[in-house]
Amino acid sequence: MIKYLSKTNVKNLKGVAIARLDFNTEDDWRMKAAIPTLQLLLKHARALVILSHKGRPLGFQKQFSLRPDAEKLSGLLKHDITFDEKFNFDELRRNISTSPAKSIFVLENLRFVSMEKGNDKSFAKNLASLGDYFVNEAFAVSHRAEASVVGITKYLPSYAGLGLEKEIINLSRVMEKAKKPLIMIFGGAKSGDKLAVIKFFRKKADLFLIGGALANTLLYLKGTDIGTSLFDEDVNEMIKNLSSDESVILPVDFRRQGSKILDIGPQSEKLFASKIKDAKTIVWNGPMGLIEREEFKKGTLGLVRAIISNKTAFSVVGGGETVTMLKESGLSDKISFISTGGGAMLDFLAGKKLPGIEALK
Ligand code: 3PG
């Protein structure tokens, strides 16, 4: 049984709380999603220690420092924060134990230390020694067996934060009791983890609307000229199979640069919208085009409009880039649930056990 922060007796929340967050986004939406948990902890705990990572650095790399994130968080919480970049655990323990009540500490990017990714026991133990209990509020990294996600739970009472709890509830709703028709939409440059979800939902979902590299691959297999577009080089049996599957809907026109497909075209937007309007459950991960460029955002924005025009469906959207764009468009509150996970959301929906969640049982 997962231990949820929301259901824990507040007596258990005194002492020093350690919260694992995920600051790994261009903007601060994942940080903002963790604020309710941090406020709850601040209400009850004597002090708060925050752990996170950013990027995939090899040793110290300034551009991945969490210093700016600590400053931003301090502004959001309207609370002073002590930033610690030394990983000197004896000194940190001393500073935490002598700090005034309600002090907040943010440690530097844990992935600057190779022991984090390696789920090293002694590193996990040192992290655990900084507090009295642990809260995972980092769904987005819960598919990684790392020291601050999994290892640390061996040494402390450990709880799922409020945001992680919402992820589990909403994604489980899709897994276990999705109302039909269920439409799943996948785009983006990487196909592997999306294929795993399609495999899991092959018999359960009614339609799969596909854009991005996977669409290009399937179109290529059907004889469309995809020019120099991004596609999957490793065409396995499953992809071949999908190319003749009637539940797989592919784009019918494109926005290109030269021969390269960089977005779906207006007819495809209409086609996808006509399917989305009848859905009762919609799951979406990955943009339809190269949304970093204004001229190739249109297909993805069209999809957003189609999803929010369906006022009765339960809609779940995830994936870093897609969500950042949704937030920018100001339409994110019209989506039933926005997952903070990219790869973690896909692993969950592929029926995999996430090590960070398993560790809380
Ligand atoms: C994410 O952004 O998906 C998470 O922070 C995990 O990052 P990772 O893929 O580098 O482990």
Side-chain angles (χ1 to χ4, degrees):
M1 285 274 281
I2 299 170
K3 291 195 286 294
Y4 289 106
L5 186 65
S6 64
K7 304 194 173 60
T8 306
N9 190 320
V10 293
K11 277 197 301 217
N12 297 329
L13 305 182
K14 295 190 179 355
V16 178
I18 303 180
R20 175 59 158 100
L21 305 190
D22 187 321
F23 293 153
N24 197 21
T25 38
E26 292 289 310
D27 56 7
D28 55 6
W29 63 270
R30 274 187 185 158
M31 186 186 284
K32 284 186 175 149
I35 299 291
T37 287
L38 299 182
Q39 278 165 342
L40 178 72
L41 294 176
L42 273 176
K43 192 164 158 202
H44 300 290
R46 197 192 66 69
L48 177 55
V49 178
I50 293 173
L51 311 175
S52 184
H53 76 284
K54 187 186 253 184
R56 295 176 178 173
L58 296 168
F60 176 81
Q61 283 178 267
K62 193 161 185 267
Q63 76 266 35
F64 293 121
S65 171
L66 296 189
R67 190 180 282 281
D69 302 83
E71 281 162 14
K72 193 171 271 178
L73 185 63
S74 167
L76 287 174
L77 290 171
K78 299 189 179 47
H79 200 297
D80 283 345
I81 285 183
T82 305
F83 182 68
D84 190 285
E85 58 200 340
K86 292 194 284 210
F87 295 108
N88 178 336
F89 290 99
D90 289 333
E91 188 184 297
L92 255 171
R93 268 191 302 275
R94 262 197 314 278
N95 291 347
I96 294 166
S97 65
T98 55
S99 67
K102 309 293 173 191
S103 297
I104 307 180
F105 295 80
V106 172
L107 267 59
E108 182 53 289
N109 189 344
L110 297 176
R111 287 191 183 168
F112 286 169
V113 183
S114 64
M115 288 179 285
E116 162 67 0
K117 263 203 118 15
N119 197 14
D120 179 88
K121 270 192 192 158
S122 62
F123 188 60
K125 215 169 177 172
N126 271 325
L127 291 172
S129 74
L130 301 177
D132 300 299
Y133 63 96
F134 171 73
V135 176
N136 179 341
E137 185 60 332
F139 172 69
V141 72
S142 293
H143 58 321
R144 308 285 187 218
E146 298 180 3
S148 67
V149 180
V150 171
I152 191 169
T153 64
K154 304 277 177 290
Y155 307 103
L156 290 175
S158 300
Y159 306 97
L162 307 179
L164 177 55
E165 181 175 0
K166 278 196 204 154
E167 299 274 359
I168 295 171
I169 292 171
N170 285 291
L171 297 179
S172 300
R173 180 168 164 185
V174 173
M175 296 293 280
E176 290 155 17
K177 42 182 187 248
K179 280 204 187 139
K180 309 261 283 168
L182 162 61
I183 294 193
M184 306 192 103
I185 310 162
F186 296 114
K190 285 177 275 170
S191 305
D193 37 10
K194 285 149 198 157
L195 282 169
V197 184
I198 297 175
K199 191 169 177 193
F200 190 85
F201 276 93
R202 197 80 184 269
K203 298 265 181 299
K204 297 184 201 159
D206 296 275
L207 288 178
F208 299 97
L209 311 184
I210 310 288
L214 181 56
N216 297 343
T217 313
L218 295 171
L219 287 161
Y220 169 76
L221 291 174
K222 283 168 162 285
T224 306
D225 176 13
I226 62 163
T228 53
S229 311
L230 204 62
F231 74 109
D232 301 288
E233 290 181 20
D234 173 26
V235 177
N236 55 31
E237 274 314 299
M238 184 178 165
I239 299 188
K240 280 191 202 149
N241 234 294
L242 284 180
S243 67
S244 56
D245 188 326
E246 284 184 354
S247 66
V248 174
I249 311 291
L250 296 174
V252 289
D253 63 341
F254 313 96
R255 296 182 172 97
R256 297 188 189 237
Q257 180 170 283
S259 68
K260 200 170 189 168
I261 298 172
L262 291 178
D263 195 6
I264 61 171
Q267 293 309 317
S268 312
E269 283 176 43
K270 280 197 192 129
L271 172 68
F272 285 7
S274 72
K275 308 289 179 197
I276 289 169
K277 99 180 162 358
D278 299 321
K280 289 273 181 296
T281 309
I282 303 164
V283 175
W284 176 24
N285 187 304
M288 294 293 107
L290 189 67
I291 55 175
E292 295 87 330
R293 303 239 320 253
E294 212 48 49
E295 64 271 42
F296 300 118
K297 253 187 191 176
K298 294 194 178 89
T300 307
L301 274 172
L303 207 57
V304 175
R305 281 193 296 271
I307 295 174
I308 63 176
S309 305
N310 179 333
K311 304 259 188 299
T312 51
F314 173 66
S315 52
V316 177
V317 179
E321 278 182 302
T322 320
V323 176
T324 300
M325 205 201 73
L326 248 179
K327 297 270 177 196
E328 278 169 17
S329 71
L331 299 170
S332 60
D333 58 339
K334 306 257 185 320
I335 303 292
S336 316
F337 180 67
I338 298 209
S339 174
T340 54
M345 170 188 171
L346 293 169
D347 277 6
F348 194 105
L349 292 177
K352 296 183 189 162
K353 296 220 177 298
L354 272 54
I357 295 180
E358 292 305 301
L360 302 172
K361 288 184 178 166

